Amino acid sequence: MVSLKKSLRVLFFVLFLIPVISLSLIFIYFLYDTMLDREMKNVQTSLAQTELIFNNTLRQVRNLSDRIYISKPLQNVMLKKYDDIQQVYSDYSKLDYLESYLHSSAETGSFRIYTHNQTLLDNQFIIKVTPNIMAEDWYERARRIKGQPFWIYKQDSISKKYYLSLIRSLWSSSNGEFVGVLVINVNPIPIQNNLSNLIYQTAILFDNEVLYTSDETISDSDKLLLIKNAKNPSFLSKMQRITFHGERVGIFTEMFSPENTVGLSFFISYIIPIKQLYNSIYFILVVSLLVIIILILLSYFVIAIYSNYINERVKKVQKGISNVIENNFEISSSIGGNDEFSQIYENLYEMSGNIKNLIDKVYTQNLEKEQLAARQSEISFKMLSAQINPHFLFNTLETIRMKSITRGEKEVATMLKLLASLLRYNLTVKGKPVPLIDEINAIQNYLNIQHMRFGERISYDVVTLCDIQHLSILPLLIQPIVENSFTHGLESKESGGFIYIFVNYEEEANQKVLTISVKDNGCGISEEKLAEIRKNLAVQGGGILVEKNSNSIGMYNVNERIKLFYGEKSGISIESKVGEGTTVFLKIYQ
């Protein structure tokens, strides 16, 4: 027989350790893949941001070229033939906004406008074209493509420095005459500053040239590697591993073309040391692996302790069972602890006591059964008595009614019939709703009896303003109100008394409401008494103490029943004037 201790350890290895190690390896693989993918996406995001910043710089230069291109005063000066130098200086003074153009754009290092008009004077903006300039490819291309801007990396004719330049030809907006060629040199300082703030080394390439780089010490051989990488279309948007600057790196290269310009595209290369790229990934993977190993060892340590604990508890339970099997019922009451084994042992201890006291137990149980049977007989007898009494009452009333009919006392017989019907209804209804028409019929029986008692002193009418066939209501809600009208309002009235009962069912604030009003022309209620009644009606349970010694259900208790069954919004309200009468309203929201 394999012990529970060994079984637990085998189960630990088969059902826990092997699956956990397998899942951990899968988790580490996916974690590595996910983190690498995240790093790649971060690099792509940084590339996109760099592209956005650089493209914004080019856009600002492009916008400046548009402003110069449409400048009418500039066109007039460039096309005008001058005989007087003073006039040239005078017209140049009108072009002072060119200076503000230059200073308003940090992206612009300088701009030149090359003109064929030999009557003009050279300054920092306007330069007379020379045969050497006219022989340049960029100059001829600018004239050929008729004002479309393009980019070129060239040497400035004045400063003799190389710049990334936007070039476009200028043409008169009036007659289409050639004005000159505009060259705007991009200021490299803002671009260089942006690149220096990036995490990884970055280079911007154009036309087989490395224009800008975050590392100004980059060698010519490394530049050639960047250019070669940018020329290979299969490497675009993918990481290419090369040896760069004496170190293994990954290069990401993105190509983009500035908007609204023609010509060659730009390339942005991101240079990331392979070691730096993978260090953070390897660190997290090592930490994850260590955590998994620690958890596995901790789990094994816990399962070893727990299996030893379970094994000891099983031995104690086995010993107790062996004693009971050998008819030794004197075992200890507990083995300690608060687990299932403790519960099992306590049940075993209880079972041994039950066996020991079996005869007394059987005797006691038989005695209890006899007592229970006696109680059941008593209850049955009381239930039978409760059934006999109402039947006896109804049978007696029916006997009296038949004798009255025999003797010709039809009015007495009618009263007895109405009384029996009313009592039968009151005794048979429970606490559940009954058809409203049954409640109305019971009220009419009550009113008929009272009318026969009081004769012409009191009249009544029940007016239903709706179809009551399909409506239901709690029983015995209307009768106590009608009784109050007789007892407190009309009993002392010698003639002309009446009770009107109105039943209506309508919609109020998008909710159906059943309204039953009981109106009399009795003595009415004083203002002080009316205020007291309304106060008791407004307090939950307020009428119970008032009527605790009353033999009737009472108006307050009717109000409590309505509120408990139909909600606080439902209930009783009352209106009364001394000498004029009282009206009680029952409102039931459904």
Side-chain angles (χ1 to χ4, degrees):
M1 183 180 67
V2 181
S3 67
L4 183 60
K5 178 179 178 180
K6 291 182 179 179
S7 299
L8 286 174
R9 294 185 179 182
V10 170
L11 287 175
F12 172 77
F13 280 103
V14 174
L15 299 180
F16 177 78
L17 190 58
I18 294 176
V20 165
I21 292 176
S22 302
L23 291 175
S24 299
L25 293 176
I26 296 173
F27 166 75
I28 290 173
Y29 171 77
F30 278 106
L31 180 63
Y32 169 81
D33 191 62
T34 301
M35 293 189 63
L36 182 60
D37 184 62
R38 188 189 67 179
E39 290 296 328
M40 297 299 103
K41 287 181 179 179
N42 289 339
V43 171
Q44 294 292 341
T45 302
S46 298
L47 271 172
Q49 291 175 348
T50 304
E51 177 185 333
L52 181 65
I53 294 171
F54 183 62
N55 200 25
N56 184 61
T57 299
L58 301 185
R59 187 185 299 110
Q60 295 298 326
V61 175
R62 172 71 171 77
N63 292 340
L64 176 60
S65 75
D66 290 339
R67 295 166 67 185
I68 296 174
Y69 186 87
I70 62 174
S71 174
K72 192 70 175 177
L74 177 63
Q75 292 177 12
N76 293 335
V77 171
M78 297 287 289
L79 295 175
K80 185 176 180 180
K81 303 299 182 182
Y82 290 93
D83 297 326
D84 185 5
I85 294 178
Q86 293 300 323
Q87 185 63 39
V88 176
Y89 283 124
S90 175
D91 287 352
Y92 274 13
S93 65
K94 299 175 183 178
L95 302 179
D96 55 354
Y97 61 86
L98 296 177
E99 187 75 30
S100 64
Y101 282 179
L102 182 62
H103 294 303
S104 64
S105 176
E107 293 81 4
T108 304
S110 60
F111 63 85
R112 323 290 185 200
I113 305 172
Y114 295 94
T115 177
H116 283 246
N117 190 349
Q118 297 299 318
T119 63
L120 296 175
L121 297 175
D122 289 348
N123 62 10
Q124 64 171 329
F125 301 118
I126 300 173
I127 301 172
K128 288 180 289 186
V129 69
T130 64
N132 291 336
I133 292 176
M134 292 177 63
E136 294 284 348
D137 291 339
W138 57 267
Y139 188 87
E140 179 58 31
R141 182 185 178 193
R143 293 199 61 175
R144 186 172 63 254
I145 62 177
K146 293 288 186 178
Q148 294 187 65
F150 62 92
W151 297 96
I152 192 171
Y153 187 67
K154 60 179 284 294
Q155 186 181 40
D156 184 59
S157 60
I158 295 178
S159 66
K160 304 303 180 183
K161 294 180 179 180
Y162 281 88
Y163 291 96
L164 174 64
S165 304
L166 177 72
I167 299 177
R168 70 187 302 180
S169 56
L170 304 179
W171 303 81
S172 172
S173 57
S174 300
N175 54 20
E177 184 179 353
F178 176 69
V179 174
V181 175
L182 171 65
V183 177
I184 302 179
N185 298 321
V186 178
N187 185 6
I189 296 176
I191 299 175
Q192 202 70 47
N193 289 338
N194 286 329
L195 296 182
S196 63
N197 291 329
L198 298 176
I199 299 175
Y200 300 117
Q201 187 175 346
T202 309
I204 299 177
L205 298 84
F206 177 75
D207 194 17
N208 293 328
E209 294 285 346
V210 178
L211 301 182
Y212 312 103
T213 177
S214 55
D215 183 5
E216 297 182 1
T217 63
I218 185 172
S219 65
D220 292 337
S221 59
D222 289 336
K223 290 182 179 180
L224 289 175
L225 279 174
L226 293 175
I227 294 170
K228 180 180 178 181
N229 185 74
K231 285 182 176 181
N232 191 339
S234 63
F235 293 160
L236 296 182
S237 302
K238 297 180 181 178
M239 187 175 75
Q240 176 68 13
R241 291 177 173 84
I242 62 173
T243 301
F244 181 83
H245 221 32
E247 182 182 12
R248 289 295 292 175
V249 299
I251 296 182
F252 290 85
T253 301
E254 287 282 352
M255 179 181 70
F256 79 97
S257 300
E259 57 189 18
N260 299 323
T261 57
V262 297
L264 300 175
S265 299
F266 290 84
F267 296 90
I268 297 179
S269 293
Y270 229 42
I271 306 159
I272 309 172
I274 296 295
K275 184 179 179 180
Q276 184 176 353
L277 177 65
Y278 287 100
N279 272 351
S280 59
I281 298 176
Y282 289 150
F283 174 77
I284 294 178
L285 291 178
V286 169
V287 170
S288 301
L289 187 59
L290 287 176
V291 170
I292 291 171
I293 292 173
I294 291 172
L295 290 177
I296 291 174
L297 293 177
L298 182 62
S299 301
Y300 179 76
F301 179 72
V302 170
I303 200 69
I305 293 176
Y306 185 70
S307 62
N308 289 332
Y309 170 77
I310 294 296
N311 191 53
E312 293 298 321
R313 306 286 284 172
V314 168
K315 288 180 178 179
K316 291 181 180 179
V317 173
Q318 285 178 333
K319 183 179 179 180
I321 294 174
S322 299
N323 288 336
V324 173
I325 291 174
E326 295 172 0
N327 297 324
N328 179 12
F329 302 115
E330 299 298 329
I331 61 175
S332 59
S333 60
S334 174
I335 60 172
N338 191 26
D339 54 14
E340 288 81 356
F341 292 102
S342 175
Q343 184 66 43
I344 291 172
Y345 191 86
E346 288 175 3
N347 292 338
L348 177 65
Y349 175 77
E350 184 177 353
M351 183 185 69
S352 67
N354 290 341
I355 296 173
K356 185 179 179 182
N357 302 309
L358 182 60
I359 297 175
D360 293 337
K361 272 282 188 182
V362 171
Y363 175 77
T364 303
Q365 288 174 354
N366 290 335
L367 182 62
E368 288 176 351
K369 286 181 180 179
E370 291 176 1
Q371 292 176 347
L372 179 60
R375 291 195 189 100
Q376 291 283 51
S377 299
E378 184 182 352
I379 292 171
S380 300
F381 178 76
K382 288 183 178 179
M383 290 176 65
L384 182 61
S385 299
Q387 291 176 350
I388 291 174
N389 288 337
H391 289 302
F392 176 75
L393 176 62
F394 295 142
N395 292 336
T396 302
L397 289 173
E398 181 63 19
T399 301
I400 296 172
R401 187 177 77 85
M402 295 303 297
K403 288 185 177 182
S404 299
I405 292 174
T406 303
R407 296 178 181 182
E409 297 176 354
K410 293 183 179 181
E411 185 175 354
V412 174
T414 301
M415 289 184 69
L416 288 172
K417 181 179 179 181
L418 292 173
L419 178 60
S421 178
L422 181 62
L423 288 174
R424 187 181 300 277
Y425 175 76
N426 288 353
L427 289 173
T428 55
V429 294
K430 307 297 181 182
K432 297 180 180 180
V434 298
L436 178 57
I437 191 170
D438 291 349
E439 185 78 358
I440 295 297
N441 289 337
I443 295 301
Q444 287 179 328
N445 289 338
Y446 175 80
L447 290 171
N448 282 330
I449 294 172
Q450 294 290 40
H451 182 65
M452 297 177 73
R453 285 182 59 206
F454 293 100
E456 299 301 324
R457 288 171 52 192
I458 297 174
S459 62
Y460 74 91
D461 195 6
V462 178
V463 180
T464 57
L465 303 176
C466 61
D467 183 9
I468 62 174
Q469 293 292 330
H470 305 292
L471 297 177
S472 61
I473 189 175
L474 282 179
L476 303 178
L477 294 182
I478 308 174
Q479 184 177 327
I481 308 302
V482 177
E483 287 179 359
N484 283 344
S485 295
F486 275 101
T487 304
H488 303 294
L490 298 174
E491 199 167 51
S492 61
K493 206 166 184 69
E494 296 181 358
S495 65
F498 67 80
I499 291 179
Y500 292 152
I501 300 174
F502 297 91
V503 181
N504 194 16
Y505 186 68
E506 56 188 353
E507 188 169 311
E508 180 180 306
N510 297 325
Q511 189 175 6
K512 295 292 185 180
V513 58
L514 176 63
T515 304
I516 302 172
S517 57
V518 180
K519 181 178 182 180
D520 67 65
N521 64 340
C523 60
I525 305 173
S526 64
E527 292 185 1
E528 295 79 6
K529 181 64 176 177
L530 184 61
E532 181 182 353
I533 292 173
R534 287 172 173 169
K535 180 180 178 181
N536 288 333
L537 288 173
V539 177
Q540 186 175 3
I544 295 176
L545 292 176
V546 175
E547 296 195 72
K548 66 180 181 179
N549 296 320
S550 174
N551 292 324
S552 64
I553 297 176
M555 181 172 61
Y556 296 115
N557 286 341
V558 169
N559 185 57
E560 291 295 327
R561 290 176 63 211
I562 292 174
K563 288 185 177 297
L564 287 172
F565 193 84
Y566 294 103
E568 283 297 318
K569 194 175 181 181
S570 303
I572 290 178
S573 61
I574 183 169
E575 295 180 359
S576 182
K577 287 187 179 181
V578 176
E580 294 185 11
T582 302
T583 302
V584 178
F585 300 92
L586 285 77
K587 280 201 170 188
I588 298 173
Y589 288 87
Q590 298 181 339

